[in-house]
Amino acid sequence: KQEVTQIPAALSVPEGENLVLNCSFTDSAIYNLQWFRQDPGKGLTSLLLIQSSQREQTSGRLNASLDKSSGRSTLYIAASQPGDSATYLCAVRPGETSGSRLTFGEGTQLTVNP
Amino acid sequence: DTEVTQTPKHLVMGMTNKKSLKCEQHMGHRAMYWYKQKAKKPPELMFVYSYEKLSINESVPSRFSPECPNSSLLNLHLHALQPEDSALYLCASSFREIRHEQYFGPGTRLTVT
């Protein structure tokens, strides 16, 4: 059974700092991995989707990497801003045909202080 | 239009009430999903519809009844709920069921009294 772990569970940084969020998964047979952002009481916003054949994806100040063989992904946020404060979730999609079941990590709650 | 909309935003209902949650998308996606999310926990998959047919039911109690009347609309009918069913209910859609990126709506905050 796939398990997804996100470390740290919570992170507080001063504005302007570059930071890395970690996601690890136990079964490397994934099809892709998706990073989401969730503000309190709101829905999930998709940030980046990395296919299993890709090593990284970039969008603005965000860069996500994937090392499928070691079961790891990182989300790098450059020059953090208070508006980046949210919970960040990673989710993996299995490689088998029933590929709609995302397995989520517990999330990292990020606070960026002005 | 790259948006999934959900109504209502908030819902308070008694245990004997019947209510419905609504989800809509106009992105041409043919897969739609219902998730349940408790506080400080990740979303849990409840149902998946693919081409308006129920594809996955994650052993959800029958007091939750999904319906997909057309490719753009997904409903979740609620009846005789329990207080522990209080949660954020999220709808999502994707181009197809398998492998495609899922887009989430803002959710309905449900409180069962």
Side-chain angles (χ1 to χ4, degrees):
Chain A
K1 179 189 171 187
Q2 178 74 270
E3 292 182 5
V4 179
T5 304
Q6 290 188 245
I7 294 173
L11 181 63
S12 181
V13 300
E15 182 178 2
E17 193 161 298
N18 301 326
L19 57 99
V20 175
L21 307 181
N22 296 293
C23 171
S24 61
F25 45 94
T26 54
D27 186 348
S28 62
I30 66 169
Y31 192 80
N32 56 39
L33 182 147
Q34 197 167 352
W35 281 95
F36 295 93
R37 167 193 173 130
Q38 186 172 31
D39 294 293
K42 307 290 186 184
L44 277 65
T45 300
S46 180
L47 298 173
L48 290 162
L49 176 72
I50 312 179
Q51 304 294 346
S52 62
S53 58
Q54 296 176 315
R55 297 284 295 182
E56 65 178 76
Q57 281 281 4
T58 298
S59 176
R61 294 183 293 109
L62 305 179
N63 176 278
S65 68
L66 175 64
D67 184 342
K68 202 175 85 160
S69 61
S70 67
R72 294 181 183 179
S73 177
T74 62
L75 179 67
Y76 174 83
I77 303 177
S80 58
Q81 303 170 357
D84 295 329
S85 298
T87 296
Y88 290 79
L89 294 155
C90 73
V92 299
R93 187 171 280 101
E96 70 242 23
T97 55
S98 58
S100 59
R101 286 184 176 87
L102 292 175
T103 301
F104 285 88
E106 296 276 320
T108 293
Q109 186 174 351
L110 173 66
T111 303
V112 180
N113 301 300
Chain B
D1 186 357
T2 58
E3 192 179 25
V4 177
T5 59
Q6 289 187 245
T7 54
K9 289 185 179 178
H10 302 277
L11 179 62
V12 179
M13 61 185 290
M15 290 189 285
T16 58
N17 291 158
K18 286 186 181 181
K19 297 285 184 184
S20 297
L21 309 184
K22 180 181 171 181
C23 172
E24 204 160 0
Q25 57 86 17
H26 296 286
M27 295 181 277
H29 291 176
R30 301 309 296 270
M32 297 185 77
Y33 312 78
W34 280 116
Y35 287 86
K36 173 183 177 180
Q37 187 178 27
K38 302 285 274 186
K40 298 198 181 297
K41 290 293 184 182
E44 299 172 13
L45 184 65
M46 299 174 70
F47 303 103
V48 180
Y49 272 84
S50 180
Y51 289 88
E52 297 91 69
K53 287 185 170 43
L54 185 63
S55 173
I56 295 174
N57 176 343
E58 293 285 47
S59 302
V60 179
S62 60
R63 57 186 184 268
F64 295 91
S65 175
E67 179 195 20
C68 190
N70 60 59
S71 60
S72 300
L73 188 56
L74 184 67
N75 298 318
L76 186 62
H77 303 297
L78 314 172
H79 174 55
L81 294 192
Q82 304 296 311
E84 59 264 29
D85 296 321
S86 298
L88 181 67
Y89 287 84
L90 295 165
C91 173
S93 71
S94 64
F95 181 64
R96 299 294 184 264
E97 181 182 353
I98 306 294
R99 302 177 195 143
H100 291 276
E101 187 172 2
Q102 291 186 20
Y103 295 86
F104 282 76
T108 293
R109 172 70 61 189
L110 174 67
T111 303
V112 181
T113 60

Short mmCIF file of all heavy atoms in Angstrom, two decimals, chain B residues 52-88:
data_model
loop_
_atom_site.label_atom_id
_atom_site.label_comp_id
_atom_site.label_asym_id
_atom_site.label_seq_id
_atom_site.Cartn_x
_atom_site.Cartn_y
_atom_site.Cartn_z
N GLU B 52 -20.05 10.01 -16.83
CA GLU B 52 -21.35 10.02 -16.16
C GLU B 52 -21.72 8.70 -15.51
O GLU B 52 -22.86 8.53 -15.05
CB GLU B 52 -22.50 10.45 -17.12
CG GLU B 52 -22.36 11.87 -17.65
CD GLU B 52 -21.60 11.93 -18.96
OE1 GLU B 52 -22.12 11.45 -19.98
OE2 GLU B 52 -20.45 12.43 -18.95
N LYS B 53 -20.79 7.77 -15.45
CA LYS B 53 -21.06 6.49 -14.78
C LYS B 53 -20.19 6.37 -13.54
O LYS B 53 -19.01 6.76 -13.55
CB LYS B 53 -20.77 5.33 -15.73
CG LYS B 53 -21.78 5.17 -16.83
CD LYS B 53 -21.49 3.92 -17.66
CE LYS B 53 -22.60 3.56 -18.62
NZ LYS B 53 -23.20 4.68 -19.34
N LEU B 54 -20.78 5.81 -12.47
CA LEU B 54 -20.03 5.63 -11.24
C LEU B 54 -18.91 4.62 -11.46
O LEU B 54 -19.15 3.47 -11.83
CB LEU B 54 -20.95 5.17 -10.12
CG LEU B 54 -20.33 5.05 -8.73
CD1 LEU B 54 -19.85 6.40 -8.23
CD2 LEU B 54 -21.32 4.44 -7.75
N SER B 55 -17.68 5.08 -11.24
CA SER B 55 -16.51 4.25 -11.46
C SER B 55 -15.94 3.70 -10.16
O SER B 55 -15.50 2.56 -10.11
CB SER B 55 -15.45 5.08 -12.19
OG SER B 55 -14.24 4.38 -12.30
N ILE B 56 -15.94 4.51 -9.13
CA ILE B 56 -15.38 4.10 -7.85
C ILE B 56 -16.30 4.58 -6.73
O ILE B 56 -16.74 5.73 -6.71
CB ILE B 56 -13.97 4.69 -7.64
CG1 ILE B 56 -12.98 4.11 -8.65
CG2 ILE B 56 -13.48 4.42 -6.21
CD1 ILE B 56 -11.60 4.74 -8.61
N ASN B 57 -16.61 3.68 -5.82
CA ASN B 57 -17.29 4.01 -4.57
C ASN B 57 -16.41 3.45 -3.47
O ASN B 57 -16.27 2.23 -3.35
CB ASN B 57 -18.68 3.37 -4.55
CG ASN B 57 -19.41 3.61 -3.22
OD1 ASN B 57 -18.82 3.95 -2.21
ND2 ASN B 57 -20.72 3.42 -3.24
N GLU B 58 -15.82 4.33 -2.68
CA GLU B 58 -14.88 3.88 -1.66
C GLU B 58 -15.61 3.43 -0.39
O GLU B 58 -15.34 3.93 0.71
CB GLU B 58 -13.88 5.00 -1.34
CG GLU B 58 -12.94 5.35 -2.47
CD GLU B 58 -11.84 4.31 -2.68
OE1 GLU B 58 -12.13 3.10 -2.72
OE2 GLU B 58 -10.69 4.72 -2.82
N SER B 59 -16.57 2.54 -0.57
CA SER B 59 -17.32 1.97 0.58
C SER B 59 -17.94 3.07 1.43
O SER B 59 -17.87 3.03 2.67
CB SER B 59 -16.40 1.10 1.44
OG SER B 59 -15.85 0.07 0.67
N VAL B 60 -18.53 4.04 0.76
CA VAL B 60 -19.15 5.16 1.46
C VAL B 60 -20.55 4.75 1.94
O VAL B 60 -21.29 4.09 1.20
CB VAL B 60 -19.26 6.38 0.51
CG1 VAL B 60 -19.93 7.55 1.20
CG2 VAL B 60 -17.87 6.78 0.01
N PRO B 61 -20.94 5.14 3.16
CA PRO B 61 -22.29 4.80 3.66
C PRO B 61 -23.38 5.29 2.73
O PRO B 61 -23.24 6.33 2.08
CB PRO B 61 -22.34 5.51 5.01
CG PRO B 61 -20.93 5.68 5.42
CD PRO B 61 -20.14 5.86 4.16
N SER B 62 -24.48 4.57 2.71
CA SER B 62 -25.56 4.87 1.76
C SER B 62 -26.28 6.17 2.06
O SER B 62 -27.07 6.64 1.24
CB SER B 62 -26.58 3.72 1.74
OG SER B 62 -27.14 3.55 3.03
N ARG B 63 -26.01 6.79 3.20
CA ARG B 63 -26.61 8.09 3.49
C ARG B 63 -26.02 9.19 2.58
O ARG B 63 -26.53 10.29 2.53
CB ARG B 63 -26.45 8.46 4.96
CG ARG B 63 -25.04 8.49 5.48
CD ARG B 63 -25.04 8.72 6.99
NE ARG B 63 -23.70 8.85 7.56
CZ ARG B 63 -23.01 7.85 8.04
NH1 ARG B 63 -23.51 6.62 8.01
NH2 ARG B 63 -21.80 8.05 8.56
N PHE B 64 -24.94 8.85 1.89
CA PHE B 64 -24.37 9.71 0.84
C PHE B 64 -24.72 9.08 -0.50
O PHE B 64 -24.35 7.93 -0.76
CB PHE B 64 -22.86 9.81 0.96
CG PHE B 64 -22.37 10.48 2.21
CD1 PHE B 64 -22.10 9.73 3.35
CD2 PHE B 64 -22.19 11.86 2.25
CE1 PHE B 64 -21.66 10.35 4.51
CE2 PHE B 64 -21.74 12.49 3.39
CZ PHE B 64 -21.48 11.73 4.53
N SER B 65 -25.39 9.84 -1.37
CA SER B 65 -25.82 9.29 -2.65
C SER B 65 -25.38 10.23 -3.77
O SER B 65 -25.90 11.33 -3.91
CB SER B 65 -27.35 9.14 -2.66
OG SER B 65 -27.79 8.72 -3.92
N PRO B 66 -24.41 9.79 -4.59
CA PRO B 66 -23.95 10.66 -5.67
C PRO B 66 -24.83 10.55 -6.91
O PRO B 66 -25.52 9.55 -7.10
CB PRO B 66 -22.54 10.13 -5.94
CG PRO B 66 -22.66 8.67 -5.67
CD PRO B 66 -23.66 8.53 -4.54
N GLU B 67 -24.76 11.58 -7.73
CA GLU B 67 -25.51 11.59 -8.98
C GLU B 67 -24.76 12.43 -9.98
O GLU B 67 -24.25 13.50 -9.64
CB GLU B 67 -26.90 12.18 -8.75
CG GLU B 67 -27.75 12.26 -10.01
CD GLU B 67 -28.95 13.18 -9.84
OE1 GLU B 67 -28.93 14.04 -8.92
OE2 GLU B 67 -29.89 13.07 -10.64
N CYS B 68 -24.68 11.97 -11.22
CA CYS B 68 -24.02 12.73 -12.27
C CYS B 68 -25.00 12.86 -13.44
O CYS B 68 -24.99 12.02 -14.34
CB CYS B 68 -22.73 12.04 -12.70
SG CYS B 68 -21.69 13.02 -13.80
N PRO B 69 -25.85 13.88 -13.44
CA PRO B 69 -26.89 14.00 -14.45
C PRO B 69 -26.36 14.27 -15.86
O PRO B 69 -27.00 13.90 -16.84
CB PRO B 69 -27.74 15.18 -13.97
CG PRO B 69 -27.20 15.63 -12.68
CD PRO B 69 -25.91 14.94 -12.42
N ASN B 70 -25.22 14.96 -15.95
CA ASN B 70 -24.58 15.19 -17.24
C ASN B 70 -23.09 15.40 -17.04
O ASN B 70 -22.61 15.41 -15.90
CB ASN B 70 -25.24 16.38 -17.99
CG ASN B 70 -25.14 17.67 -17.20
OD1 ASN B 70 -24.05 18.12 -16.88
ND2 ASN B 70 -26.29 18.27 -16.91
N SER B 71 -22.38 15.61 -18.11
CA SER B 71 -20.92 15.64 -18.02
C SER B 71 -20.38 16.85 -17.28
O SER B 71 -19.21 16.88 -16.91
CB SER B 71 -20.31 15.60 -19.42
OG SER B 71 -20.73 16.71 -20.19
N SER B 72 -21.21 17.86 -17.03
CA SER B 72 -20.74 19.07 -16.37
C SER B 72 -21.16 19.17 -14.91
O SER B 72 -20.67 20.04 -14.20
CB SER B 72 -21.29 20.32 -17.09
OG SER B 72 -20.87 20.35 -18.43
N LEU B 73 -22.05 18.30 -14.49
CA LEU B 73 -22.70 18.47 -13.19
C LEU B 73 -22.55 17.22 -12.34
O LEU B 73 -22.71 16.09 -12.82
CB LEU B 73 -24.17 18.77 -13.42
CG LEU B 73 -25.03 19.18 -12.24
CD1 LEU B 73 -24.46 20.40 -11.54
CD2 LEU B 73 -26.44 19.46 -12.72
N LEU B 74 -22.26 17.44 -11.06
CA LEU B 74 -22.14 16.33 -10.11
C LEU B 74 -22.86 16.75 -8.83
O LEU B 74 -22.64 17.85 -8.34
CB LEU B 74 -20.67 16.04 -9.82
CG LEU B 74 -20.34 14.86 -8.91
CD1 LEU B 74 -20.71 13.55 -9.58
CD2 LEU B 74 -18.85 14.87 -8.55
N ASN B 75 -23.73 15.90 -8.34
CA ASN B 75 -24.45 16.17 -7.11
C ASN B 75 -24.08 15.15 -6.04
O ASN B 75 -23.71 14.02 -6.35
CB ASN B 75 -25.96 16.10 -7.35
CG ASN B 75 -26.45 17.14 -8.33
OD1 ASN B 75 -26.02 18.30 -8.30
ND2 ASN B 75 -27.36 16.75 -9.22
N LEU B 76 -24.23 15.55 -4.79
CA LEU B 76 -24.10 14.62 -3.68
C LEU B 76 -25.31 14.82 -2.78
O LEU B 76 -25.48 15.87 -2.17
CB LEU B 76 -22.80 14.87 -2.90
CG LEU B 76 -22.48 13.87 -1.78
CD1 LEU B 76 -22.28 12.46 -2.36
CD2 LEU B 76 -21.24 14.29 -1.00
N HIS B 77 -26.18 13.81 -2.76
CA HIS B 77 -27.41 13.88 -1.97
C HIS B 77 -27.13 13.34 -0.58
O HIS B 77 -26.50 12.28 -0.42
CB HIS B 77 -28.53 13.10 -2.65
CG HIS B 77 -28.81 13.58 -4.05
ND1 HIS B 77 -29.26 14.86 -4.33
CD2 HIS B 77 -28.67 12.96 -5.25
CE1 HIS B 77 -29.41 15.00 -5.63
NE2 HIS B 77 -29.06 13.87 -6.22
N LEU B 78 -27.61 14.08 0.42
CA LEU B 78 -27.32 13.76 1.81
C LEU B 78 -28.62 13.47 2.56
O LEU B 78 -29.60 14.23 2.43
CB LEU B 78 -26.62 14.95 2.47
CG LEU B 78 -25.47 15.59 1.69
CD1 LEU B 78 -25.00 16.85 2.39
CD2 LEU B 78 -24.33 14.59 1.51
N HIS B 79 -28.62 12.41 3.34
CA HIS B 79 -29.84 12.04 4.07
C HIS B 79 -29.46 11.31 5.35
O HIS B 79 -28.64 10.38 5.32
CB HIS B 79 -30.73 11.15 3.20
CG HIS B 79 -31.91 10.61 3.93
ND1 HIS B 79 -32.83 11.41 4.58
CD2 HIS B 79 -32.32 9.33 4.14
CE1 HIS B 79 -33.75 10.65 5.14
NE2 HIS B 79 -33.49 9.39 4.89
N ALA B 80 -30.08 11.73 6.45
CA ALA B 80 -29.87 11.06 7.75
C ALA B 80 -28.40 11.02 8.13
O ALA B 80 -27.86 9.97 8.53
CB ALA B 80 -30.46 9.65 7.73
N LEU B 81 -27.73 12.16 8.00
CA LEU B 81 -26.31 12.21 8.32
C LEU B 81 -26.09 12.22 9.83
O LEU B 81 -27.00 12.51 10.62
CB LEU B 81 -25.67 13.45 7.71
CG LEU B 81 -25.62 13.49 6.18
CD1 LEU B 81 -24.70 14.63 5.72
CD2 LEU B 81 -25.17 12.17 5.57
N GLN B 82 -24.86 11.92 10.21
CA GLN B 82 -24.43 11.90 11.60
C GLN B 82 -23.51 13.09 11.86
O GLN B 82 -22.87 13.61 10.93
CB GLN B 82 -23.68 10.60 11.90
CG GLN B 82 -24.48 9.35 11.59
CD GLN B 82 -25.72 9.24 12.45
OE1 GLN B 82 -25.63 9.40 13.66
NE2 GLN B 82 -26.87 9.00 11.84
N PRO B 83 -23.40 13.53 13.11
CA PRO B 83 -22.49 14.65 13.41
C PRO B 83 -21.07 14.42 12.93
O PRO B 83 -20.39 15.37 12.51
CB PRO B 83 -22.56 14.76 14.94
CG PRO B 83 -23.93 14.26 15.27
CD PRO B 83 -24.21 13.15 14.30
N GLU B 84 -20.61 13.17 12.92
CA GLU B 84 -19.24 12.89 12.48
C GLU B 84 -19.07 13.06 10.97
O GLU B 84 -17.94 13.00 10.46
CB GLU B 84 -18.81 11.47 12.89
CG GLU B 84 -19.67 10.36 12.35
CD GLU B 84 -20.74 9.91 13.34
OE1 GLU B 84 -21.18 10.75 14.16
OE2 GLU B 84 -21.12 8.73 13.27
N ASP B 85 -20.16 13.27 10.25
CA ASP B 85 -20.07 13.55 8.82
C ASP B 85 -19.75 15.02 8.54
O ASP B 85 -19.54 15.40 7.39
CB ASP B 85 -21.38 13.19 8.11
CG ASP B 85 -21.69 11.71 8.18
OD1 ASP B 85 -20.74 10.89 8.06
OD2 ASP B 85 -22.87 11.35 8.36
N SER B 86 -19.72 15.83 9.58
CA SER B 86 -19.34 17.23 9.42
C SER B 86 -17.91 17.30 8.90
O SER B 86 -17.00 16.68 9.47
CB SER B 86 -19.44 17.97 10.76
OG SER B 86 -20.78 17.95 11.24
N ALA B 87 -17.73 18.04 7.81
CA ALA B 87 -16.42 18.09 7.15
C ALA B 87 -16.50 19.08 6.00
O ALA B 87 -17.55 19.66 5.71
CB ALA B 87 -16.02 16.71 6.62
N LEU B 88 -15.37 19.26 5.33
CA LEU B 88 -15.32 20.01 4.08
C LEU B 88 -15.46 19.00 2.94
O LEU B 88 -14.70 18.03 2.87
CB LEU B 88 -13.99 20.76 3.97
CG LEU B 88 -13.78 21.63 2.72
CD1 LEU B 88 -14.73 22.82 2.73
CD2 LEU B 88 -12.33 22.11 2.65
#
